[in-house]
Amino acid sequence: MRDAHAHKLKPPMNAQHDHVLGNDRAQITLLEYGSYTCPFCHAAHEVIADLRDRFGDRLRYVFRHRPTTDDADALRAARLAEYAHATTGEFWETHDALMKRGPSFKPQDFEEVAQALGLPAPDTTRQAALDEAELRVQQDIDSALASGALFTPTFFINNRRYEGPWDENSLSEALLGSLGQRVQSAALDFARWAPSTGVLLLIMSIAAVIVANAPFGPAFDAWWNTPVGLRLGDAAFNLPLREWINEGLLTIFFLVVGLEIKREFTVGRLATRRSAALPVVASIGGMLVPALIYLLAVSSGPLSMGWAIPTTTDTAFAVALIALLGRRVPVELRVFLTAAVIVDDLVAIAIVAVFYSGAVHL
């Protein structure tokens, strides 16, 4: 399930702890998770300098460390900047010096930066400052992971993650909160909201019933049968629009859901035979019982061939309903129900192949 708060800054910006450049009363806070060995961060450094000149006192800039993974120079540079802060308070001077030297550092670069800024030698008498520097870098790394900053640079505007390009014009629009940016932010917030899929499916289901019974229903149905495809010379691949959805998008849907269930069956909550048996047996029972009821209720004849219809579960609706209920549904129950409906679909595919196809070609 998606975390509706995954795009929020964790913890929020704190002027007492974070490195802040600009007016404390600024209306806009731009926070960056960056790495001194990241070439994109060096490019963004110039963009941010231009933005600070452009916005003046309206903007304050905050930098948090997100050293490039498994990069010793990135970690060493971050710790040097924090060591400068702990000993002389010259974080921003060190920050700028490292940005000018990188992103590819030579072994002597760190010593030269320290000497140029007059930083005290990191000997045993400075162990407290070294420990503080290491701790602050680790705190920033933990904060980056908690905030979903998986790459650098990652920007947050007023404690909310910015997901667009970071050229000067795009960032300016985001900082000013333009109409397009607000619409994009609202759409992303809705998409991250766990029940959004269920709400959309419910709205579309109601809309489908209304359209099907409206005077323009036949015209709308004809539009769904419009051929859409690709053509290259005499060769063409065309399908009705409805089939692109049924055979194309639903394939992606079942691939994603199937991968999630595969994970549960391999390394998740259904990894053991005992735990996996319950949803499998429940799914099979949930298919056999409706089929038997159908056959008992319908006399022999052409209609008896419809016994497979009540055996299937609409996976999209089932998953959407689980998402709509959100955290009110325990994790174990969500896994159980999702596994059950996926098994249901797999068996339904087998039923169609065996009982409703002309032949089975293994």
Side-chain angles (χ1 to χ4, degrees):
M1 294 295 178
R2 293 162 296 175
D3 184 356
H5 302 287
H7 60 300
K8 295 293 186 181
L9 183 64
K10 301 174 183 177
M13 198 283 294
N14 184 344
Q16 303 300 321
H17 177 270
D18 284 305
H19 301 295
V20 182
L21 195 60
N23 190 346
D24 290 341
R25 298 182 180 179
Q27 301 169 344
I28 308 168
T29 299
L30 175 65
L31 183 145
E32 176 191 1
Y33 283 101
S35 171
Y36 293 112
T37 60
C38 168
F40 304 109
C41 296
H42 286 260
H45 184 66
E46 302 298 327
V47 173
I48 292 166
D50 293 337
L51 287 173
R52 292 189 62 242
D53 291 338
R54 181 173 176 179
F55 281 84
D57 289 340
R58 291 182 296 165
L59 175 68
R60 61 178 175 177
Y61 170 64
V62 182
F63 184 84
R64 287 184 182 177
H65 303 284
R66 205 306 187 179
T68 306
T69 305
D70 297 328
D71 188 331
D73 284 345
L75 190 60
R76 185 178 178 184
R79 289 174 176 171
L80 176 60
E82 290 299 337
Y83 176 73
H85 171 73
T87 53
T88 65
E90 295 183 346
F91 172 83
W92 289 111
E93 292 81 357
T94 311
H95 174 81
D96 289 335
L98 291 169
M99 281 295 180
K100 290 177 182 178
R101 293 263 180 166
S104 297
F105 290 98
K106 299 176 182 178
Q108 68 272 20
D109 283 340
F110 301 108
E111 287 77 8
E112 291 178 359
V113 168
Q115 291 175 3
L117 295 172
L119 301 182
D123 52 27
T124 54
T125 62
R126 302 289 177 178
Q127 189 60 46
L130 292 170
D131 292 341
E132 180 183 343
E134 184 175 355
L135 175 62
R136 290 194 61 147
V137 172
Q138 187 58 50
Q139 287 175 339
D140 281 0
I141 294 174
D142 294 340
S143 169
L145 294 175
S147 303
L150 304 179
F151 53 86
T152 55
T154 295
F155 293 100
F156 285 76
I157 299 175
N158 292 337
N159 290 332
R160 187 185 186 283
R161 191 168 69 202
Y162 170 68
E163 312 246 9
W166 43 266
D167 60 277
E168 186 175 347
N169 290 332
S170 299
L171 266 176
S172 295
E173 290 186 5
L175 293 171
L176 292 170
S178 64
L179 177 61
Q181 181 64 30
R182 290 197 297 269
V183 171
Q184 181 191 33
S185 298
L188 288 171
D189 285 343
F190 180 76
R192 289 193 185 93
W193 182 46
S196 62
T197 51
V199 172
L200 281 176
L201 193 56
L202 177 62
I203 293 174
M204 291 299 104
S205 300
I206 296 173
V209 173
I210 295 174
V211 170
N213 291 279
F216 57 86
F220 186 76
D221 185 66
W223 176 74
W224 277 115
N225 291 305
T226 303
V228 178
L230 302 173
R231 179 178 293 277
L232 182 62
D234 295 332
F237 181 74
N238 293 313
L239 286 175
L241 187 57
R242 176 184 282 114
E243 294 304 313
W244 280 108
I245 295 174
N246 289 345
E247 309 298 336
L249 295 181
L250 276 179
T251 301
I252 299 174
F253 168 78
F254 281 112
L255 172 65
V256 173
V257 177
L259 287 174
E260 291 181 358
I261 293 304
K262 178 183 177 181
R263 180 183 181 280
E264 295 297 336
F265 275 115
T266 52
V267 296
R269 294 175 177 83
L270 303 177
T272 63
R273 291 185 179 180
R274 186 171 183 178
S275 59
L278 182 59
V280 172
V281 172
S283 178
I284 295 175
M287 300 180 74
L288 288 176
V289 172
L292 292 174
I293 294 175
Y294 182 92
L295 291 174
L296 290 174
V298 177
S299 57
S300 60
L303 291 179
S304 62
M305 286 300 295
W307 61 269
I309 296 175
T311 65
T312 59
T313 301
D314 193 304
T315 303
F317 275 94
V319 173
L321 182 60
I322 296 170
L324 186 62
L325 294 174
R327 297 185 182 277
R328 288 185 290 271
V329 179
V331 175
E332 292 76 10
L333 181 57
R334 291 205 299 267
V335 173
F336 168 80
L337 292 176
T338 307
V341 295
I342 291 297
V343 172
D344 180 290
D345 275 315
L346 294 176
V347 177
I349 292 171
I351 290 175
V352 171
V354 173
F355 296 100
Y356 292 90
S357 62
V360 176
H361 300 282
L362 296 179

